[in-house]
Structures are given as structure tokens and as C-alpha cells.
Amino acid sequence: MGGKGSKTEKESTADVKQQVLPMTFDPTFKGPIKNRSCTDVPCCIVFLVFIVAFIAIAVFAFAKGDPRYLIYPIDNYGNLCGTGRFSDKPYLLYFNLIECALGTGALPKDLKNVDLSNFQFKICPTPQICVSHCPDYYWAPVVSDPMKAICKYNVTTPTSVSASIDAVKVEDCAPFLFPSQPVVYRCLPSSSVFKQGRNVTMTFNGTELTDRNNVTVSVNQLEQAILNFTKELNVVQDYGIKILGDVTASWWLILVFATIAMFVSFLWIVLLRWLAGVIVWLSIVAFTGLFSYAIFHCFKKYIELKDSSGQWIVTQDLSYYANLKETWLALGIIAAAILVVTILLLIFLINRLRIAIALIKESSRAIGHMVGILFWPLIPYLMQIGLLAFWGASAICLAAVSKTGLKACSLHRNYTLLGGNSTEAQQYTDVRCWLSNELTELPCNISAEGFTGAACRCLTLGDCDVRYTYVLQAFQLFMWFWLMNFISAVGQLTIAGAFASYYWAFEKPKDIPLFPVFSSFCRAFRYHIGSMAFGALLIAIVQFLIAILTYVDQKLKGRENIVAKFILKCLICCFYCMEKLLKFITKNAYIMIAVYGKNFCISAKNAFSLLLRNLIRVVVVDKVTDFLLFISKLLIVGAVGVLAYFVVAREMPGIDRIIPPLQLNYYLAPVLVIICTSYIVASAFFSIYGMGIDTIFLSFLEDLERHDGSAEKPYYMNKELMVILGKKNKAPKKQA
């Protein structure tokens, strides 16, 4: 993988030493180097091996883990409600929910021959069956219609009161029923049940409700049972389900507003060519005016309170400090100091501020000549969405492995006991069973002792210890961080190569390559997969450590070890700062890789050296760019969010004639999703702009060091930048 452009070790060392000093003129340099070689090959190989492992674990998770075991309820016979023969019965009914408060862990007698050790009724030992709908009425065997009883599948509904009582005693029918509502496909008491009071016995038509042993049931017991039940199963709160339903009902509207945000972001980037300077200067004027008024107001309040007497004490009542003259004097002095320092900085940095604005305008011009680059974020964005979906699916299936266990291909094996059709049960699990059967052919000994045997049983049979699935989950999480950062690196390197091609075109747009974005993408994937993987790996390691520390910090909540908490918070903060630093370094390294084609370490060092030699310019350009992009995102997200609010809340005149009413529980739920989506879309578009500014800025710094404006070494920067710097290109001498 060396390539034709490979250099000897001696030449590479000379290049490294040379880059420590300001760059010198190179007559052969005309922008991104075409003749380059593959970089960071060992990291590329390791990266590909890890990707294979990532995919292999996902395949194993899909083969051995059925995610439906995490979502849908399971009855006493091991059947998933809402699937197969029970597709019309999606809800699970508990005969006596009070027994969930006992938590005895004993299984019902009719499950003695069924492997159901991981099922939820181990902690809720009462008969459970799938039903088509949750009961919305009270029922007791003595005073209610026997035909309204809910019984097991193979039990005939009783036709008399005595038959109902007998069926309840042998647990063939539920001992009592009350109004219920589905919560995560489980029938739980509705709010009307608790209106009887907390510590009273539940009654219906003057009759106390009792279980099969004739023990009365109280509302308080029922409430405790629900608390224990939800604690064990980690059932999602009802309002969460309602929010999910709102988002599902308004998905098309969210998509429409995402498209609007995309169009507005595109238009705003085009307008920044003319608005960049206006926004920056207006912001400076507004800042100066705001702080001038703040100083005036503070000293005015100080004069008004000058003759008042007050003692300075520590209190949580902020209004007390507002009546102290010392408070306003301190605030006035602080505001005056900030304003004076800011004005002095503006006076001394005015020229560099003009350079920053000119570079921002130049980036807009570059986008104007490469309009296709605005659609580039869709590719890495879709890649990241696909990766997120793949990782999320594998993570869910991995979490289900320990619950599915040996039942991966026998989900409905009890159908035949209940008169079911076994072929009907295999509709969903055909692919899973094929993969599972393939894994059983792995050459390993399931009877071996220790780790070897346990790993073999996990891989072939799906009989996994939960500790192994935790390790696999951690690896998948790390790979998700790595791949997400790799996709970001591909996007950054491609954009950097395209903008560098624009800057180093001496006659624009004549010398700009025909397909700058596509050419840059091809160079990145042909030569620099290893370098992008290396940069992504550095960030992924830090992000993975932050995730681990955050998880440990969450586990320590409620503990009294203050020292451990403080140390964890400090470590998280340090790693977070390290992540930001690494992202800054890798971003500039990718720019140098896109231009020169050297490996990651050399490119990072060259970029860092170049930035250090122009530190003040770097700070000014970086902060002005960050401020401009922040204002732009704020305007776009705010505008789209306000429009979405008026549309969803039906407060816009005539909106009913355009958009049909939506059945929503909380209208703010889709509005918040639209705001988040708009921010993501705007960030994707402005990431191009930010990377373009950084690329043009580094190219501008190199241009200043390489060239002097002579006929032999002309500047590549535009005329506006040359005017600001007081430079110009000398016309070539005419030959006599």
C-alpha cells in the first residue's frame, strides 16, 4: 500500500524538521497534492478487524437475542402476547396483581415443565394470560355476570355464580376484575380505582373484593403491588408513552419542518456572503450599547442608595442585595471594566477582526462556486443515522440474549399444547433460527469447564451469563463511538479538500477542479482511511472513558462518599476538556492531510505549529466564527420553532384549512422534537461552513508564509484580504 509517492525515512525526517519553521516557497505546490501514498496503514488494518468484530457481535446478538422479550409481555405458557396465534391479544392480564407485592419468586404449578426462569411472573407469581383488551369494569364472582369472567385459554367461561366461584378457587379464572388501562402492554389499574381511598377495602356493589383464598383486597395493597411491579420491570411511565404517541402522530409535520430548516439554512449560508460583516459589527455595537447602559443604570442606583444604611450579610434572599448600594457599585465597576477591556481589544485587534470577516465572506464565495458541497452533509448524516440504527438494534438484541436464552427458536413451542399451529410460530424467527443453527456448528466444547465452556455455550446455545453480554455491550458502545467519529472525519476531510482546491486556484473559478467534492472524497478513501481511523480512535477512547465515568457517577448517586464523587466529577471534566482539545487537533490535522497527504501525526504537528505561529489571529478568527455560527443557528432554530408552535398549537389564522387537526396529548412534544431536529439540520449545514472557514484560514496562513506577492511568488488570497493586510501582487515584468 505504499503507492508511487512514497518517500524515504531520511526525506520524511527532513520534512518534519522543515515544518517547525515558517513554510517556504515551493514552486510545485498548486493546492492539494495529487501524487500521494496511503497513510497510517497499521491503524487501517486494526480498524477493519474491529469492524468485522463489531458486525460479528451484531449477527450473534440477532441470532440469539429476541428483542420482543424486552418489549412484549409473556403469558404463563411462554407465548408473546400480540404475536403469532395471539396477534389479536396484545395485552397481558394478571389474575391477582396483589401477589406482585409479595415477590415470593415461586412459579405457578403449571409451569413446572417449561423453562421460564427469566420471565416477569417469577417476581409476580399469579396466572397471566394474553387478552384482546383490558377490562373496563368491576367483576366479582358472587355479584357479577359469570359470562364476564376472564379465564385461562383452555377453560370454558362459567355460566353460573357457583361455577365462577369454583373456577376462581382453582385459579382457572381471575378472582376479581377492576377498570384497567394498558401500560407497556400490561393491564394496570386505571386512576378511577384509587378514588375509593388508599387504606380501604375495595368494594363493588356493596361486596368486598377477595382473592381465591377469600382474603379481602385493599387499595393500598394494589398500589404497593404496582410500585413493586414497575420497579422490577422498569416500566416506562404513562406520560412517556403519550409523548411517543404524539411524535408518531405528527411525524409528517416534523419532516416538513426539517425540510424548512434545511432550506432556511441553505439560504442563510448564501446570504452570509453579504451579511457576515453586518452581523458582527451590529453585535459589537449592541454589546457596547448594552454595557454602557448597564454602567449608567448601576451607578444611578448607587447614587439613589448612597445615603441608605445597610449591613452586608449572607442570605438566600436576592432582593436584599438589590437594596444595598455596595451591590450596584460592584456591578457598575465590573461592567465598566469589561467594557474598557473589550474596547481596548477591539482597537488593537480591529485589523484581525476585519480579516476574520473577510475569511467568512470568502467561505461563502467558495460555497457559491461549489453549490454541490451543501448536499454533502446528507451523506455522512445518513451514514450516522444508519450506524445508530444498526448499533441500537444490536444493543437491544444483546440485552435480550440473556432473557431469550435457549428459547431463541422455540418462542411458540407450547402452541401444540394449546391447539396452535407450529408453522405459524416460525414466521418471524426463520432468519434468526437459521443464524442460530449456524452458530451451533461452531467447533467448541460446550461441556468444558471455566470460561471456555461458558463462552462456547453462550455462542452456540445462547446460554449467556449476563456478564458476557455486558462486555459485548461495552465493546459495541466503543465501536459506535469510533465509527461515528470516523464518519465525521470522512466528512471533514472531504470538505477540507474541496475548500483547499478552491483557495489554491489562482484564477477563480477557472482553476477550480470540475468535481472538487467528489475528488476530495476519493482521495480521502483511497489514501487516508488509516489516518481518519487514527484520529477517530483518539476521540473515541476519551468518549468511552467519559461514558464509563458517567455510569459510575450515576451508580454513586445516593451514596455518602463525597470524596469519590468529587474525584469522579473532576475526571469527567478533565476528559471532557481533553475531548474538545482532541477534536480541535484532529480537525486541523485533517485539513493538512487533505492538502499534503501526510500521516496523521505529522499533519497534526504541522497544523499545530502553523497555528502557534499565528496565535492571535487564530483566537480572533475562531471566536468570531463561533459567534457568527451560534447567532445563525439561534436565528434558524428560533424561527422554525416559533413557526412550529403556532402551527401545532393551532394559533395561526386559517391553519385549520391547510393542516388537519392533530390528536395530541401534549402539543409541546412535537414542537420540541421539531426544534431539536432543526438544530441538528442547521448544525449539519453550518459544519460545512465552519470547516470551510478553518480550511481557508489555514490556507491563508500558509499563503502568507509561502509567498511575498512577487511575480514568481504571488499571493492566492482575494483582493479584499490583500487590501486589509496592505499587500498586493506585483505584475510580471514585460519582456522587451
Side-chain angles (χ1 to χ4, degrees):
M1 299 179 72
K4 293 191 295 183
S6 300
K7 293 185 178 182
T8 64
E9 183 178 353
K10 184 176 180 180
E11 290 173 333
S12 298
T13 305
D15 287 342
V16 174
K17 292 181 178 179
Q18 183 182 5
Q19 294 298 338
V20 177
L21 301 173
M23 295 182 175
T24 56
F25 175 67
D26 181 1
T28 63
F29 180 74
K30 301 294 181 182
I33 295 174
K34 305 294 188 298
N35 187 19
R36 56 180 72 196
S37 60
C38 295
T39 55
D40 297 301
V41 176
C43 192
C44 177
I45 296 172
V46 172
F47 181 58
L48 295 177
V49 170
F50 272 62
I51 289 178
V52 172
F54 177 68
I55 296 174
I57 292 174
V59 171
F60 161 76
F62 179 75
K64 298 298 183 181
D66 191 336
R68 296 181 298 177
Y69 279 87
L70 300 175
I71 303 172
Y72 297 106
I74 307 166
D75 67 4
N76 284 106
Y77 302 95
N79 300 301
L80 278 179
C81 301
T83 63
R85 178 171 173 255
F86 296 92
S87 58
D88 60 337
K89 297 180 178 181
Y91 307 115
L92 187 72
L93 176 73
Y94 300 87
F95 274 25
N96 185 1
L97 198 60
I98 302 299
E99 294 187 23
C100 295
L102 305 177
T104 59
L107 292 175
K109 295 179 180 179
D110 56 342
L111 298 178
K112 59 183 179 180
N113 296 320
V114 184
D115 179 19
L116 298 169
S117 58
N118 288 320
F119 283 64
Q120 72 269 15
F121 42 81
K122 183 173 181 180
I123 50 91
C124 193
T126 185
Q128 303 161 35
I129 62 171
C130 301
V131 294
S132 58
H133 61 274
C134 295
D136 56 358
Y137 54 88
Y138 283 97
W139 184 89
V142 179
V143 295
S144 302
D145 181 3
M147 298 301 294
K148 289 187 176 182
I150 296 181
C151 304
K152 293 179 179 179
Y153 308 125
N154 54 353
V155 175
T156 303
T157 303
T159 57
S160 64
V161 173
S162 59
S164 298
I165 295 174
D166 293 337
V168 166
K169 288 181 179 179
V170 295
E171 287 191 316
D172 281 344
C173 297
F176 53 83
L177 297 174
F178 41 74
S180 305
Q181 60 183 2
V183 177
V184 196
Y185 301 101
R186 278 99 173 159
C187 294
L188 297 181
S190 60
S191 58
S192 62
V193 174
F194 300 100
K195 292 181 179 179
Q196 297 186 24
R198 288 293 185 266
N199 296 311
V200 300
T201 301
M202 295 181 64
T203 60
F204 171 58
N205 288 343
T207 302
E208 295 181 341
L209 298 183
T210 61
D211 62 13
R212 65 188 181 91
N213 296 319
N214 207 30
V215 178
T216 58
V217 177
S218 71
V219 178
N220 187 55
Q221 285 178 313
L222 186 62
E223 185 179 42
Q224 185 60 43
I226 296 173
L227 290 175
N228 285 8
F229 176 74
T230 54
K231 180 180 178 181
E232 292 290 342
L233 290 182
N234 196 24
V235 176
V236 181
Q237 295 294 328
D238 186 41
Y239 67 82
I241 298 175
K242 290 181 179 179
I243 290 174
L244 182 60
D246 291 344
V247 173
T248 304
S250 58
W251 67 269
W252 61 273
L253 197 60
I254 295 172
L255 189 61
V256 169
F257 276 100
T259 306
I260 293 175
M262 188 182 303
F263 175 76
V264 174
S265 299
F266 171 78
L267 184 63
W268 188 256
I269 287 177
V270 175
L271 292 177
L272 277 177
R273 179 173 177 177
W274 297 278
L275 296 179
V278 176
I279 292 174
V280 173
W281 291 119
L282 281 179
S283 300
I284 292 173
V285 172
F287 176 86
T288 305
L290 179 65
F291 269 81
S292 298
Y293 175 77
I295 294 168
F296 166 76
H297 182 74
C298 289
F299 282 105
K300 178 184 176 184
K301 293 289 292 184
Y302 171 73
I303 294 172
E304 292 176 356
L305 299 172
K306 189 174 182 181
D307 297 329
S308 64
S309 59
Q311 186 178 1
W312 184 272
I313 60 173
V314 178
T315 178
Q316 294 181 350
D317 185 9
L318 297 181
S319 61
Y320 174 78
Y321 297 110
N323 294 318
L324 293 177
K325 61 181 179 181
E326 291 85 354
T327 302
W328 295 104
L329 178 62
L331 291 176
I333 293 173
I334 293 172
I338 292 175
L339 182 61
V340 170
V341 170
T342 303
I343 292 175
L344 290 175
L345 287 174
L346 289 174
I347 292 173
F348 287 105
L349 300 177
I350 188 68
N351 208 42
R352 290 180 173 86
L353 192 61
R354 293 173 62 200
I355 292 174
I357 295 172
L359 289 172
I360 291 171
K361 293 180 179 178
E362 186 69 0
S363 298
S364 293
R365 293 191 192 96
I367 292 175
H369 290 294
M370 302 182 297
V371 179
I373 201 171
L374 289 172
F375 300 97
W376 166 251
L378 293 176
I379 297 176
Y381 182 68
L382 293 176
M383 290 172 65
Q384 288 182 330
I385 292 295
L387 174 63
L388 178 62
F390 182 82
W391 170 76
S394 67
I396 292 173
C397 289
L398 268 178
V401 167
S402 60
K403 293 182 177 292
T404 307
L406 302 177
K407 302 179 289 298
C409 290
S410 56
L411 181 62
H412 300 277
R413 60 199 176 136
N414 294 329
Y415 273 9
T416 53
L417 299 176
L418 304 173
N421 186 350
S422 60
T423 57
E424 179 186 9
Q426 295 299 322
Q427 292 179 356
Y428 176 77
T429 57
D430 281 342
V431 177
R432 172 173 285 107
C433 288
W434 177 79
L435 288 172
S436 183
N437 291 334
E438 290 296 319
L439 288 175
T440 58
E441 302 299 326
L442 290 176
C444 62
N445 183 11
I446 61 175
S447 302
E449 298 292 335
F451 173 77
T452 304
C456 182
R457 289 190 293 273
C458 180
L459 289 173
T460 58
L461 303 178
D463 183 16
C464 296
D465 190 305
V466 69
R467 292 173 297 177
Y468 297 150
T469 58
Y470 285 161
V471 173
L472 295 178
Q473 289 275 25
F475 177 81
Q476 295 295 86
L477 177 63
F478 173 75
M479 283 303 300
W480 180 68
F481 284 137
W482 195 356
L483 287 169
M484 289 291 280
N485 285 293
F486 176 79
I487 294 173
S488 297
V490 173
Q492 290 177 333
L493 195 59
T494 301
I495 294 170
F499 275 92
S501 298
Y502 167 83
Y503 186 91
W504 296 108
F506 189 73
E507 294 184 18
K508 302 175 179 67
K510 178 182 175 182
D511 294 338
I512 301 175
L514 187 59
F515 301 107
V517 180
F518 180 73
S519 300
S520 179
F521 174 75
C522 290
R523 286 196 300 269
F525 248 90
R526 181 179 179 183
Y527 299 109
H528 306 302
I529 291 180
S531 297
M532 292 186 291
F534 185 60
L537 175 63
L538 296 177
I539 300 174
I541 291 173
V542 175
Q543 290 175 336
F544 185 67
L545 292 174
I546 292 174
I548 293 176
L549 292 172
T550 304
Y551 174 78
V552 174
D553 183 53
Q554 291 294 324
K555 289 295 182 181
L556 286 178
K557 280 190 175 181
R559 306 290 178 88
E560 299 299 328
N561 197 335
I562 300 177
V563 176
K565 290 182 181 179
F566 175 76
I567 294 174
L568 275 175
K569 295 291 185 183
C570 291
L571 287 174
I572 293 173
C573 181
C574 290
F575 280 117
Y576 179 78
C577 294
M578 185 182 294
E579 179 191 1
K580 294 298 181 184
L581 177 62
L582 283 174
K583 285 184 176 181
F584 176 78
I585 293 173
T586 54
K587 178 182 67 175
N588 289 286
Y590 294 147
I591 295 173
M592 301 303 282
I593 292 171
V595 177
Y596 295 103
K598 291 182 169 55
N599 65 42
F600 180 85
C601 292
I602 292 178
S603 299
K605 185 196 69 63
N606 291 347
F608 201 66
S609 299
L610 181 62
L611 294 174
L612 282 179
R613 294 194 296 269
N614 300 270
L615 189 58
I616 297 179
R617 283 176 177 162
V618 171
V619 173
V620 174
V621 171
D622 187 57
K623 294 309 171 187
V624 170
T625 302
D626 288 345
F627 172 76
L628 184 63
L629 297 185
F630 172 74
I631 292 295
S632 300
K633 290 179 187 178
L634 197 64
L635 287 172
I636 292 172
V637 174
V640 174
V642 170
L643 179 62
Y645 171 79
F646 281 104
V647 171
V648 175
R650 324 300 295 179
E651 295 189 9
M652 182 178 290
I655 192 64
D656 292 330
R657 295 194 301 268
I658 303 173
I659 299 176
L662 299 172
Q663 299 298 326
L664 302 175
N665 297 292
Y666 313 107
Y667 65 86
L668 283 179
V671 173
L672 291 175
V673 173
I674 289 171
I675 290 174
C676 294
T677 305
S678 302
Y679 179 79
I680 293 172
V681 171
S683 297
F685 273 85
F686 285 108
S687 65
I688 300 174
Y689 204 61
M691 193 66 186
I693 293 172
D694 290 333
T695 303
I696 289 178
F697 179 53
L698 257 68
S699 301
F700 164 73
L701 296 179
E702 286 194 41
D703 194 7
L704 287 176
E705 293 187 352
R706 286 181 178 276
H707 308 118
D708 57 9
S710 62
E712 296 79 16
K713 297 186 286 184
Y715 292 115
Y716 283 75
M717 68 185 76
N718 61 28
K719 293 182 179 179
E720 183 180 358
L721 284 168
M722 282 193 270
V723 170
I724 294 173
L725 295 171
K727 300 179 182 295
K728 62 180 181 179
N729 282 332
K730 299 177 182 177
K733 296 180 180 179
K734 296 182 179 180
Q735 295 181 354

